[in-house]
């Protein structure tokens, strides 16, 4: 298929590299010419920072810009015969109503510029405003992944929220753990086997069943000991987080199993 | 070495199985006779629920019971010639002062009964009240893992706190994500590639550098949209958590990079 990429950030970069293997990326557009060229050069195609230079002949236009910028790009684009799809978790399909064939092509993953990702393992969530559009976006997804989900805009929004918890907040807690280890003069690498095992466990059992630690045992001695360390170190913000989530976990399991 | 295991929970089970490959486990003790027998049978050794039946000839006695129960076991044990070591993150070495040779043998991992773990990749944190004891515990650790750390009781306590954040609270957020997905009629497996990648990323870069999502971008539109979904679903507790941690992340990165 002939494809135009609009955007040059993390999602645009990873999608462009993956799609270019089987498809013809006609042009990479970005407001920032340097960024557009940098990405376009990686796959030896054209770059532009002018909406007017975007070819009208593509089969699919993929808008992979920040959520806040999607409206502007949509406004600036002319009517197009091809499919226009965005890649955002929290933007409904209706944001692209202007185009007769439109949809969503949302790769559900955390992308960093510096780290390659094998997209074949990344779920891609598809939505289309008509059957033909859906089918074409599905064909495009098949060319990069074997995990394709038909998900509507409301579901996608909830999925995005779940990702904030399971990825962004999780990574924030990795950061808190790293801060604590630094203060104790211990290397972060000590935590990696635990971090990996915590992630691996929920492949074979539910998080509810995988839980360990002082909160699920309602081990108040240990919890108090931990809170005291945090408070003595002047980390009252961390003590608050620790206390709040410990309470939530203890209550969750009391509720889950009234005999405990 | 000749070893006695005191305890039959997750840590006791995984340690017993790993140590039995190269050492002679004389006896498994547990207050609960059935539990002691169940574990002892796995490695075809003796079981007892009587402290008096514990042999006095072992080189190392490993107390792997709940933190709350360590004091009782210590009180009940007679003086011993061998080394007595506990496996707890938050109990200082001094809890074993009664014994002339004592120490800590803390495997830093989240253990579940149903899931095998390759201990060779699990950090073991050692402490000893004298050089000879330390060396013997180190030798024991070498026989199961290639990751051995010399860590004092204060450091170990902080490490345990960091594990609550990076494992227990992380797993709690996996649970929250699962709850959200269930309500949107989506399978939890959708999240697994994201969970794995979030864990993998911090192997090659710091959590601070790995962060993505609406909070680090200070994308208030998306944050507000997410909060509204949670509130409309009556999940005000989740909205509070979402709001609190989003604010913390936004502020962390404003502080981290004042130009943002």
């Amino acid at each position: 298929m002939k494809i135009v990429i609009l955007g040059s950030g993390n999602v645009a970069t990873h999608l462009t590299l993956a799609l270019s293997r089987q498809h013809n990326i006609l042009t990479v557009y970005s407001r920032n010419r340097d960024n557009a060229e940098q990405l376009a050069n990686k796959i030896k195609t054209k770059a532009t920072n002018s909406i007017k230079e975007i070819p009208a002949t593509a089969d699919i236009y993929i808008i992979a810009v920040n959520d806040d910028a999607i409206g502007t790009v949509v406004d600036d684009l002319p009517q197009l015969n091809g499919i226009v799809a965005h890649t955002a978790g929290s933007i409904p399909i209706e944001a692209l109503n202007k185009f007769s064939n439109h949809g969503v092509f949302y790769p559900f993953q955390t992308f960093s510029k510096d780290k390659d990702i094998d997209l074949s393992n990344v779920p891609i969530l598809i939505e289309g405003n008509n059957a033909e559009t859906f089918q074409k976006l599905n064909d495009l997804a098949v060319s990069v992944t074997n995990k394709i989900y038909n998900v509507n805009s409301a579901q996608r929004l909830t999925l995005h929220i779940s990702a904030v918890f399971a990825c962004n907040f999780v990574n924030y807690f990795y950061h808190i753990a790293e801060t604590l280890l630094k203060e104790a003069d211990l290397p972060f690498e000590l935590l990696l086997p635990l971090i990996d095992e915590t992630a691996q466990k929920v492949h074979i059992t539910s998080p509810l069943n995988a839980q360990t630690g002082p909160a699920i045992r309602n081990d108040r001695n240990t919890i108090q000991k931990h809170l005291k360390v945090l408070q003595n170190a002047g980390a009252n913000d961390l003590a608050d987080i620790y206390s709040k989530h410990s309470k939530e976990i203890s209550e969750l399991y009391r509720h889950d199993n009234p005999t405990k």
Side-chain angles (χ1 to χ4, degrees), chain A:
Chain A
M1 287 188 246
K2 288 176 286 181
I3 294 170
V4 166
I5 302 286
L6 298 100
S8 58
N10 293 341
V11 175
T13 300
H14 285 278
L15 274 184
T16 301
L17 295 178
L19 292 171
S20 68
R21 279 184 216 125
Q22 291 191 41
H23 304 281
N24 181 8
I25 312 292
L26 301 180
T27 300
V28 172
Y29 160 87
S30 172
R31 270 177 303 181
N32 179 310
R33 185 164 194 97
D34 286 349
N35 292 348
E37 278 178 355
Q38 213 180 333
L39 177 51
N41 285 343
K42 285 185 187 169
I43 55 158
K44 301 194 166 59
T45 191
K46 286 180 210 160
T48 181
N49 64 344
S50 160
I51 287 266
K52 286 173 193 153
E53 286 180 17
I54 292 176
T57 53
D59 298 302
I60 303 184
Y61 298 79
I62 295 180
I63 305 179
V65 300
N66 274 349
D67 291 17
D68 290 349
I70 292 177
T72 313
V73 170
V74 169
D75 288 346
D76 291 352
L77 279 171
Q79 291 298 334
L80 292 160
N81 289 324
I83 292 167
V84 180
H86 74 64
T87 61
S90 294
I91 304 285
I93 188 174
E94 288 80 14
L96 305 179
N97 269 348
K98 168 177 165 179
F99 307 102
S100 36
N101 297 307
H102 60 274
V104 178
F105 192 86
Y106 176 44
F108 188 56
Q109 187 50 282
T110 170
F111 294 104
S112 299
K113 271 203 170 156
D114 307 334
K115 189 171 183 300
D116 284 343
I117 284 185
D118 177 10
L119 276 182
S120 67
N121 191 36
V122 172
I124 295 186
L125 284 57
I126 305 282
E127 202 175 352
N129 75 317
N130 56 52
E132 204 186 331
T133 297
F134 180 87
Q135 190 54 49
K136 268 205 178 166
L137 290 173
N138 193 74
D139 292 346
L140 189 67
V142 166
S143 71
V144 288
T145 185
N146 46 43
K147 294 186 178 171
I148 300 165
Y149 293 84
N150 176 3
V151 160
N152 68 35
S153 291
Q155 287 176 306
R156 198 174 60 252
L157 179 56
T158 299
L159 188 67
H160 195 198
I161 300 173
S162 78
V164 171
F165 282 91
C167 169
N168 306 149
F169 293 169
V170 159
N171 183 71
Y172 173 55
F173 281 3
Y174 294 163
H175 163 72
I176 290 176
E178 185 182 34
T179 309
L180 291 167
L181 290 189
K182 264 186 195 156
E183 274 167 34
D185 209 19
L186 291 168
F188 182 65
E189 61 172 37
L190 243 171
L191 268 173
L192 292 175
L194 180 67
I195 283 173
D196 291 347
E197 177 67 11
T198 305
Q200 281 308 305
K201 265 190 182 182
V202 296
H203 282 251
I204 61 160
T205 189
S206 74
L208 207 59
N209 192 42
Q211 192 61 277
T212 59
I216 185 182
R217 295 194 305 268
N218 203 16
D219 175 352
R220 289 179 199 189
N221 281 336
T222 302
I223 291 172
Q224 285 309 317
K225 217 180 280 181
H226 288 180
L227 285 174
K228 216 172 154 188
V229 170
L230 294 172
Q231 284 153 354
N232 289 345
N236 290 320
D237 47 343
L238 298 188
D240 285 350
I241 295 172
Y242 185 104
S243 173
K244 180 174 158 60
H245 292 319
S246 292
K247 232 174 264 171
E248 288 159 356
I249 292 171
S250 293
E251 276 166 22
L252 177 65
Y253 286 87
R254 229 186 338 253
H255 185 70
D256 182 52
N257 182 351
T259 64
K260 268 185 190 164

